[in-house]
Amino acid sequence: MGDTLEFNNIHTELKGSWNDGRLRFSKQSVVYKSHKTGKVDSIPAPELSAAQWRRVCLGHGIKLATSTGHIYRYDGFRDTDFEKISEFFKANYKVELAEKDMCVKGWNWGTAKFSGSLLSFDVNDSPVFEVPLASVSQCATGKNEVTVEFHQNDDAEVSLMEVRFYVPPNTGDDGSDPVEAFAQNVLSKADVIQATGDAVCIFKELQCLTPRGRYDIRIYPTFLHLHGKTFDYKIPYTTVLRLFLLPHKDQRQMFFVISLDPPIKQGQTRYHFLILLFSKDEELSLALNMSEDEVEKRYEGKLSKNMSGPLFEIVSRVMKALVNRKITVPGNFQGHSGSQCITCAYKASSGLLYPLERGFIYVHKPPVHLRFEEISCVNFARGTTTTRSFDFEIETKQNNQYTFSNIEREEYGKLFDFVNAKKLNIKNRGIKEGMKGADGYSDSDEDQHDAYLERMKEEGKIREEGDGSDESEGDSDESFNPGEEDDDVPEEYDSNASVSDSEADDADSEEEGKKKKPEKKPKKVVKEKKERKPRKEKKVKDPGAPKRPMSAYMLWLNGNRERIKSENPGISVTEISKKAGEMWKQLSKDRKEEWDRKAEEAKKQYEKAMKEYRESGGGAAASVTKEKKKKGGKVEAKKKSGGEKEKKEPVNESFKSKEFISSEESSSESDQDRGSKRKVCVCVCDEDTPASSEESGSD
């Protein structure tokens, strides 16, 4: 058996909410790391006193008890894990993993047992349910009744707020009240903050950015008390996750950030971070409200009774000693200006982004802390308003996206090198490495193809051409009939676009001085012909021809499709293709060459079969049918064009606006002139007959 055992997707209950993480058993300790918060619980191996294996709602779970009175419960194991965990415990911890059954009778009358920080309700020596006393916020007593209230958890969809226990009215052996004894046992381990005794030290009027205001901070042995003009907050040290000390970009101020889980609440607002702002020039002399012996004994040299120095150093030193957590400071990152942060904007407010050794933190509104292990990928995006800046996008494994915008482009090179050194997945690595120049960013928008800009240019060209053609048409219409309106003329005039050039010349010779035909008329004829072009016929597939050979990948896929299905039951067709593509990429070079040879053989067989097929007359029938389709298409196109002309010519004959008709009726035009007009119409209708014969016939 190995030195360690690791299990993923192990859950632990925290104030009514399930948090998943990774559990590792080693010879020295038991370590659990939460995926949500990154908090690590470590249990030294010598402190383990008992272990139980039991059936729970999420499969199977382990309950560990320590000699210090702490209880740890981890759920999400499989039934097959029992044997290897039991053997590991015997070999390394000298503790037997005992199986314990839960009572599922549903009885509500039993015995309450207090074991360390756990209240267990048992029926016939089998636990029905267990209550972690650290989740208790208050305990009240009544007549033969004890009410236990719990902290509300925002992450839980449904929260248990209180449980009532009925205690029989009998006195104990020593004459004490059983109700009071029950309540005292609960309160001794409950998470109830009571400000008893004197504070270790007090910091007056500290500037706080989140929550905003100035607060007096009283430091107690087990909790932190923020006292302001409007609100008071009591923060247990057990809720503090991390401490950060961050220099401001102006090098004159310092941020001290306290990360909290669960957050402090004010109405519907949740504060996950407590941010204090200090000036580097502010000094303080502090005397702890304890004797030197007590300070030495309790804090083991981390603090001294009398301390002096910059205010931010004193506060951070005291908090580090009482919370017993390390203070995180920026690493070796340096921006373009030499500072350890980057100016940017997040959610419409400006702030500072600090690249740390194990994550990013943004201050201050709203504060954001992202660990590298929860980041899926990062992306460098072009700024939306100007090329002088860019956006830095971070996508987490929970599919949450954080966009830090308006970052100066001079910071690009430093940030890109930092992200690359931390081996984070860069979404658009290929594009950005090509764009990276001497200053670390592209100089203009011309480095990439802008499809939107190209489309706008094309639309502009079309619009300009359309405006030019409208102006020319308007001019020709005015010369043709000055009495007509510009809006109506182009529509009516376009219907005469099919008239040929020779016919237009005949009409001009007969009606000189009266009406002038436009010279740019052939342009419209070309447009009409372009629109009437017959569609390209589809390629006819010969059903008798040999099938084309498959590629090396398709041959491999057909040979391994069933194996992929058997190894992944229930997999869909699209997932099969995706999985096969990944497997083909991982295939060795020798195996791929083997399938390439098979594909080459199949190609040679196809060429040989195709040659024999063509020599035997195959493929000729397909070419004959193709020619027939071509001829048929031409005949149909010719008929269609002739029909369109026949339909359009009557429109030309009746082309007269209201003003033109009224002027013609009032004029003393001769019948000979009208006859000449009819001659033009006849010429247009009959294309096969020469114009001279028509004129002679009509005479």
Side-chain angles (χ1 to χ4, degrees), residues 84-116:
K84 57 182 177 181
I85 296 176
S86 178
E87 292 177 4
F88 189 88
F89 273 44
K90 286 180 183 178
N92 297 285
Y93 303 148
K94 303 296 188 272
V95 174
E96 185 178 354
L97 185 62
E99 293 188 69
K100 185 73 174 179
D101 294 330
M102 303 288 289
C103 180
V104 292
K105 290 183 177 180
W107 293 4
N108 62 347
W109 188 268
T111 306
K113 293 182 180 180
F114 293 91
S115 174

Side-chain angles (χ1 to χ4, degrees), residues 570-584:
I571 191 171
S572 63
V573 177
T574 55
E575 290 173 348
I576 289 175
S577 302
K578 186 177 179 181
K579 185 72 175 175
E582 294 174 358
M583 294 172 66
W584 176 256

Side-chain angles (χ1 to χ4, degrees), residues 155-286:
D155 296 332
E157 296 181 1
V158 179
S159 296
L160 177 65
M161 297 308 299
E162 70 173 37
V163 174
R164 295 183 181 182
F165 294 93
Y166 175 78
V167 182
N170 56 344
T171 58
D173 298 335
D174 54 354
S176 61
D177 186 5
V179 175
E180 290 296 331
F182 189 100
Q184 289 300 322
N185 285 329
V186 172
L187 289 173
S188 63
K189 299 293 183 181
D191 186 14
V192 181
I193 300 175
Q194 297 177 350
T196 58
D198 297 330
V200 175
C201 60
I202 300 175
F203 298 100
K204 294 282 189 181
E205 293 291 323
L206 295 185
Q207 183 181 356
C208 192
L209 299 180
T210 305
R212 188 177 178 184
R214 288 192 173 270
Y215 290 86
D216 293 340
I217 298 181
R218 294 183 173 91
I219 305 294
Y220 288 89
T222 57
F223 67 95
L224 179 73
H225 184 198
L226 269 70
H227 176 69
K229 293 181 179 179
T230 310
F231 303 110
D232 279 9
Y233 302 99
K234 293 177 181 178
I235 305 171
Y237 295 142
T238 54
T239 64
V240 176
L241 284 180
R242 293 175 186 85
L243 302 174
F244 301 91
L245 188 61
L246 309 170
H248 198 280
K249 194 171 185 179
D250 60 8
Q251 302 298 326
R252 292 180 296 174
Q253 300 179 91
M254 296 290 291
F255 293 109
F256 185 64
V257 184
I258 303 174
S259 175
L260 304 173
D261 184 57
I264 56 177
K265 306 172 185 177
Q266 183 56 53
Q268 296 298 321
T269 308
R270 304 291 185 267
Y271 297 105
H272 291 270
F273 293 88
L274 180 67
I275 303 179
L276 303 172
L277 183 62
F278 300 97
S279 174
K280 284 187 174 182
D281 300 333
E282 195 171 355
E283 300 282 335
L284 176 70
S285 295
L286 179 68

Side-chain angles (χ1 to χ4, degrees), residues 329-344:
V329 296
N332 54 6
F333 174 82
Q334 277 196 342
H336 178 72
S337 60
S339 61
Q340 295 177 302
C341 58
I342 297 172
T343 304
C344 61

Side-chain angles (χ1 to χ4, degrees), residues 251-501:
Q251 302 298 326
R252 292 180 296 174
Q253 300 179 91
M254 296 290 291
F255 293 109
F256 185 64
V257 184
I258 303 174
S259 175
L260 304 173
D261 184 57
I264 56 177
K265 306 172 185 177
Q266 183 56 53
Q268 296 298 321
T269 308
R270 304 291 185 267
Y271 297 105
H272 291 270
F273 293 88
L274 180 67
I275 303 179
L276 303 172
L277 183 62
F278 300 97
S279 174
K280 284 187 174 182
D281 300 333
E282 195 171 355
E283 300 282 335
L284 176 70
S285 295
L286 179 68
L288 300 182
N289 191 16
M290 301 172 68
S291 64
E292 291 184 1
D293 294 337
E294 285 180 314
V295 173
E296 183 66 28
K297 182 179 178 181
R298 181 174 293 184
Y299 303 113
E300 300 175 352
K302 296 177 182 177
L303 297 177
S304 58
K305 180 174 174 60
N306 297 305
M307 294 180 290
S308 62
L311 179 58
F312 71 90
E313 287 186 0
I314 300 296
V315 173
S316 59
R317 185 178 172 185
V318 171
M319 288 298 299
K320 180 182 178 182
L322 271 73
V323 177
N324 197 21
R325 294 197 180 277
K326 296 179 181 179
I327 295 179
T328 304
V329 296
N332 54 6
F333 174 82
Q334 277 196 342
H336 178 72
S337 60
S339 61
Q340 295 177 302
C341 58
I342 297 172
T343 304
C344 61
Y346 176 65
K347 289 188 175 179
S349 61
S350 181
L352 299 173
L353 179 67
Y354 290 85
L356 308 174
E357 289 301 314
R358 295 184 180 179
F360 295 97
I361 186 170
Y362 172 83
V363 289
H364 77 99
K365 194 175 180 181
V368 177
H369 179 234
L370 298 168
R371 294 172 286 118
F372 289 156
E373 59 190 29
E374 63 179 336
I375 294 176
S376 172
C377 63
V378 299
N379 181 31
F380 292 88
R382 189 183 298 277
T384 55
T385 57
T386 176
T387 58
R388 300 296 302 175
S389 65
F390 68 96
D391 297 348
F392 183 57
E393 300 171 353
I394 299 177
E395 187 174 337
T396 63
K397 294 177 182 177
Q398 288 78 27
N399 295 326
N400 297 323
Q401 186 165 342
Y402 300 86
T403 302
F404 303 97
S405 57
N406 296 337
I407 304 175
E408 295 178 359
R409 72 173 187 178
E410 288 79 8
E411 304 284 1
Y412 174 81
K414 300 282 188 180
L415 186 57
F416 183 88
D417 293 340
F418 174 82
V419 171
N420 208 21
K422 296 299 179 183
K423 298 180 181 179
L424 296 178
N425 182 21
I426 301 176
K427 204 171 185 179
N428 52 353
R429 178 184 294 273
I431 296 174
K432 292 302 167 187
E433 286 183 346
M435 291 173 63
K436 191 175 177 184
D439 59 353
Y441 198 70
S442 60
D443 292 333
S444 66
D445 290 338
E446 297 176 1
D447 293 336
Q448 286 186 350
H449 174 71
D450 195 337
Y452 179 76
L453 181 62
E454 293 295 330
R455 194 177 70 187
M456 289 297 102
K457 286 181 179 179
E458 290 296 328
E459 289 182 2
K461 288 179 182 178
I462 295 171
R463 200 179 293 113
E464 287 175 3
E465 290 175 2
D467 293 342
S469 61
D470 289 344
E471 289 175 4
S472 62
E473 287 171 6
D475 295 340
S476 62
D477 292 334
E478 285 178 7
S479 62
F480 177 73
N481 190 0
E484 293 187 359
E485 296 180 1
D486 292 340
D487 295 335
D488 297 334
V489 171
E491 277 188 14
E492 298 287 344
Y493 190 67
D494 286 347
S495 62
N496 197 21
S498 59
V499 181
S500 63
D501 294 339

